[in-house]
Amino acid sequence: MSLRRIPPAVRFMVLHGLVGFGLSAIFVAAVLWADPGGVGSLILKHGGLPVIAMLWFFSGLTFGSVQIGTAIMLQDGQDEGGRGRRMRLPPALRPVPVALPARRRG
């Protein structure tokens, strides 16, 4: 399947998801290198590759979701190609005058 045949929305999400997983790899490498609180040495000493893979995968899900959400929110609001229907907003609400009976004082 060529990249051109993938729908634009799917391509958009996959691309930004991969960016998130790349950021996750940098994050895991930084955690192992900086060793905050001894976590990096603990992972390397007792956990090994399965723990590193799980840390990368689950932080990749987080970073990927944040990356997709950020990319969607930073779009300029213009559709590509102008296909599809636009939702029409209802006309603005206006106050309606209502006649009330006069109050009796007594």
Side-chain angles (χ1 to χ4, degrees), residues 24 27-28 31-32 39 43 50-60:
S24 171
F27 169 73
V28 170
V31 166
L32 294 176
V39 171
I43 290 173
V51 174
I52 294 171
M54 284 176 43
L55 180 63
W56 171 75
F57 179 74
F58 289 116
S59 63

